[in-house]
Amino acid sequence: MDFIQELTWRGMIHSVTPGADQQLKKGMTTAYLGIDPTADSLHIGHLVGVMMLKHFQRAGHRPIALVGGATGMIGDPSMKSQERKLIDEDTLRHNQEAIKRQLSKFLDFDSDAPNAAVLVNNYDWMKNFSFLEFIRDIGKHITVNYMMAKDSVKKRLSGESREGMSFTEFSYQLLQGYDFLHLYKEMDCRLQLGGSDQWGNMTTGTELIRRIVGADDAFALTCPLITKADGGKFGKTESGNVWLDPRYTSPYKFYQFWLNVSDADAEKYIKIFTALPKEEIDDLVAQQAASPEQRPLQKRLAKEITIMVHSEADYEAAVEASQILFSNKASETLRKIDEDTLLAVFEGVPQFDIDAADLNGDVKIADLLTDKAPVFPSKAELRKLAQQGGFAINKEKVADVYAPSTSDLLLNGKYILVQKGKKNYFLLHVK
């Protein structure tokens, strides 16, 4: 597999320095990609870079995932209008371990293959580097004029931000450049991968290597920043980032994000975020064109990436949960899904609190849903709907509205799902 050809047809190349292609054709090459460790989970904005590393390893090369422990303490000015908060070393180490666990689902770290992936942290080689040593040994090789010419610096100094740029952030490109120099010397790393907003920092690295080592065999390759077809920001939802950690984004919500992308985005994303071969993707594109209502691209994209990030069991549970709203036979699924998924499926539906004492058998269903929780304005309306077959509890139709309310009705020990007609849902929450 030719790495650059693979990325080209997938739409994953923005810029590449001359000579990178020839370097990769010489044999196994080592490349690195930097990852910000300011959270203990990656989000889907990181996935483009991670997939670049995955394809790099698939092509027989050796990927290095660099956790930016030192640079993460400073903050990259690229595309940002404010400085980031600094993190301490304990938080950094915790985040590093969490990130490695997630990366292990994409990369082979543990085999004895010559191209097994490696995780490094630039804090390990920067923490004992004194300021005087750094400016003497590294800073003297790059002029201020060179650094000022970078877009990331010019944008911050052009008046877009009232606060300007601190020396801390100004020094960022030198630190990132030194990472490349260090990995070049210590791990024979010849290529740096990253997003197009990193181009200035990455070429500072190749320039440092040229000036200090006198070598011209260090290269940079960037991918485009991912956008949505409608111009909106990729990876953001109303509730914020879409995370890879199920504590922050449930597998159901993760699956739903990909399932609900537009047709144009699905065709682009399936190339970037899966390892499916070109022929298979072309076939799915043809199926989509013939039957867009079947949404084969979205379904396959959501399946591939949910299994890759979570598991096949999580994917199957997400599919099953997705059917709850449209199936009249979903009572079994409701009984077995976890609380997070239940709340995600019914996010935004009206909720009412009820007392556990109301489920001791003394309160009738009709009383529960009118007096205790005003789901229905009157018992007469409830009776009429039940007679027409339009009233259900936990997706099971209820004919006898004067049956006792008991704890047997509870889902996850604290919820009751009430359905009024085809589309109106209510959640009762036992307090």
Side-chain angles (χ1 to χ4, degrees), residues 217-368:
D217 58 348
F219 309 95
L221 185 153
T222 64
C223 60
L225 296 180
I226 305 303
T227 55
K228 286 164 62 176
D230 64 4
K233 190 166 184 180
F234 166 73
K236 290 281 187 180
T237 66
E238 288 180 12
S239 53
N241 284 321
V242 179
W243 298 93
L244 273 55
D245 192 313
R247 291 175 301 162
Y248 306 136
T249 300
S250 69
Y252 170 79
K253 274 193 170 180
F254 185 86
Y255 169 77
Q256 285 290 320
F257 172 84
W258 300 102
L259 191 65
N260 290 311
V261 301
S262 69
D263 289 0
D265 286 335
E267 185 172 342
K268 179 167 71 170
Y269 295 167
I270 200 164
K271 294 173 185 174
I272 296 170
F273 297 110
T274 77
L276 292 175
K278 188 174 188 303
E279 299 73 23
E280 202 165 340
I281 291 176
D282 289 344
D283 183 50
L284 286 163
V285 170
Q287 290 177 39
Q288 187 94 356
S291 306
E293 73 284 353
Q294 296 295 322
R295 310 177 84 240
L297 277 173
Q298 285 93 336
K299 288 176 182 174
R300 189 61 185 278
L301 169 66
K303 176 181 180 178
E304 292 292 320
I305 199 160
T306 303
I307 290 174
M308 191 156 48
V309 169
H310 295 291
S311 70
E312 191 143 6
D314 286 324
Y315 159 72
E316 288 168 359
V319 172
E320 208 172 5
S322 300
Q323 304 304 316
I324 288 173
L325 294 175
F326 313 105
S327 169
N328 292 323
K329 301 176 181 177
S331 56
E332 268 186 56
T333 305
L334 271 175
R335 293 281 179 190
K336 66 185 183 185
I337 63 173
D338 60 80
E339 181 180 359
D340 286 344
T341 304
L342 176 70
L343 294 177
V345 173
F346 294 100
E347 186 175 25
V349 308
Q351 291 195 27
F352 299 104
D353 291 338
I354 58 172
D355 198 304
D358 296 332
L359 300 177
N360 61 9
D362 294 337
V363 178
K364 309 300 181 192
I365 289 174
D367 297 321
L368 183 72

Side-chain angles (χ1 to χ4, degrees), residues 12 63 66 100 105 109 118 120 124 192 200 223 226 234 236 246 252 277 296 298 396:
M12 293 175 72
L66 180 146
K100 183 174 183 183
K105 297 188 175 183
F109 285 97
V118 181
V120 297
D124 292 332
Q192 184 180 174
C223 60
I226 305 303
F234 166 73
K236 290 281 187 180
Y252 170 79
Q298 285 93 336
E396 292 183 351

